Amino acid sequence: MLQISLDVHYSDFHLSVSDLAIQTHGVTALFGRSGSGKSTLLKAIAGLEPMAAGRIEFNGETWLAQSKSTPTQQRNIGYVFQQGALFPTMTVRENLAFARDRAPKDLGLETIAKACQIEHRLDANVASLSGGEKQRAVIARTLLSAPDLLLLDEPMSALDSQTKLEILPFLEHLKIELNLPIILVSHSPDEVLRLADQVVFMADGRVSSVESVEHAVSRSDSPLFVESGPVSLLSAVKAQEDADDHIVEWTIAGSKQSLLLPIHEDHDMNEARLSIRAADVSIALEQPTRTSLLNHLHGTVSAIEIQGHSALVSVDVDGHCVYAQITQRSVRALGLQVGQSVVASVKGVSVV
Amino acid sequence: MNEAQWIIFGVAIDPTPIFLTFKVALVTTIVLLTIGIPMAWWMARMQSRWKVFLEAVVALPLVLPPTVLGFYMLILMNPEGSVATALRVFGHDGQLTFTFAGLVVASAFYSLPFAVQPLMHAFEQVPQDLIDAAKTMRAKTLDWFYNIVLPLSRRGLLTAATLAFAHTVGEFGVVLMVGGNIPGETRMVSIAIFDHVETLEYAQAHVLSTLMLIFSFSVLFLVYALNRRFAVKVG
């Protein structure tokens, strides 16, 4: 557990965090607008914020007590800076070696470079790297320093959208393979949705709430989904592919039910998160026949939340929550009640 | 006149002022880099309002008449003064005026801005992210300073060293006040030229002046050429 009570005072900015607890497994996103204090908080965790005062404890180790601070060098953290911060006077190999030579254990420069798909550019000058290569080199360098906690400060903000698409799956692999706690600063809902397990929402130098990502996306007023409305997230395992119909069957984790999706070209993973917008889900009392919709999930109503003229219905599908945004009139017409068995028909589902 | 004379452009020249000048300049440059690097780093990263004050103090020798600086140096170096007393505690005879050590001390003050300003400018350009990145990889202060900051600041280092050296070679007023004109001991090239002109030895004055001109131009040319060559791209 990473426990934080912190004050950072500047004449024009004030960050105040009390009793924030961040789990030290999986990915935690610090989400907020620019100026909300998320980068300052990350810097304070790293020991790179000179004005930090308060208390920070990482798995029982005290990193900050009032203004007495454990030096960054002794915190065993890895930090990926927004602009990368590769050393421009060195080659990629020298950059990686810089980290390896100071790490408590040697993870193998070539091995890590290969895993980060940068081994073909090891002897290149930093200035000659493309945006994506730079970021992969930075991540390789960070991993080689054998950290206990990985801090990512908007790792993709400097990349164009094409390169982002290339780095995102890479970060996903990293998350699955490393089993290293990661704290990610982001202002992109996409990134949070794909990578995070837990979200710390920040605004005006304060933490407004800490939620699991599944819960965070489902709130109708979620800061993550100002435009698209609530979203359900389901983890799923690839079951089988039908190349003729160009369709993949994904089985929902911990359930026998499955969803059919078009084959996704650049997704070769066997596990994924599926996202379903609440507005794309309709409710029926029994399995509809003679419909073009392929995906129907059986479950029971666990909550009905009235929001203006519409209602957000939560359907429990074998332990997963699927949200349906329907009209109040439909709620009345179907006589929906908590505990009732229903079928959620899904119009649109995508792999995030 | 000395027995070992150089014949340059058909004119007999006593080379001792040339050797002395280079020796003073070399030692001064080493002293200035040793003091100037930590000082410039400290000033470059300074946030307090004292920074402006310090910058002005360091820049003083640029505008003060060398005689003013030389005058205060003379007073400071007074053999009965507190500096001399302090030096005697450390086993030094306390004699700075009219000695090599005195020349170096005075030159170091006189050339201070030429070393500190380029260094400070270079250090200010070093992105904090790179230093922070090195720290997260467990690099301690001297480690990141030596391996990250100095290579990134090589232009500034080079400029500081060459300008400090060249400016020391070219000084006159301060060394005359502090060192006087003792042949073989404190007579530097600029003073030798003054001497030759005083005694109407225009040929010798010409030769030494030409040498100074060629040297100064070459140094500046080198600085500007290397500055282009060693440009470091950050980002």
Side-chain angles (χ1 to χ4, degrees), chain A residues 181-243:
Chain A
I182 297 176
I183 300 178
L184 165 81
V185 164
S186 179
H187 62 247
S188 146
D190 261 7
E191 260 172 57
V192 174
L193 201 58
R194 280 184 79 150
L195 297 170
D197 302 305
Q198 186 188 26
V199 192
V200 176
F201 288 104
M202 298 192 64
D204 304 323
R206 280 167 197 285
V207 171
S208 45
S209 68
V210 184
E211 303 166 40
S212 73
V213 73
E214 286 84 0
H215 184 254
V217 290
S218 67
R219 281 198 287 141
S220 50
D221 59 342
S222 168
L224 279 176
F225 289 96
V226 186
E227 284 147 37
S228 58
V231 170
S232 324
L233 277 186
L234 306 174
S235 23
V237 183
K238 194 183 269 181
Q240 58 184 28
E241 253 180 57
D242 183 338

Side-chain angles (χ1 to χ4, degrees), chain A residues 257-283:
Chain A
Q257 304 193 57
S258 57
L259 291 163
L260 301 174
L261 268 86
I263 290 178
H264 206 292
E265 299 297 345
D266 40 291
H267 237 291
D268 58 345
M269 306 225 288
N270 290 320
E271 282 174 50
R273 276 185 184 165
L274 308 179
S275 84
I276 305 169
R277 294 173 48 180
D280 287 342
V281 179
S282 60
I283 301 277

Side-chain angles (χ1 to χ4, degrees), chain A residues 282-304:
Chain A
S282 60
I283 301 277
L285 294 183
E286 51 201 55
Q287 171 98 25
T289 51
R290 305 166 79 91
T291 163
S292 67
L293 296 182
L294 291 172
N295 292 316
H296 308 281
L297 298 171
H298 294 261
T300 51
V301 175
S302 56
I304 302 170

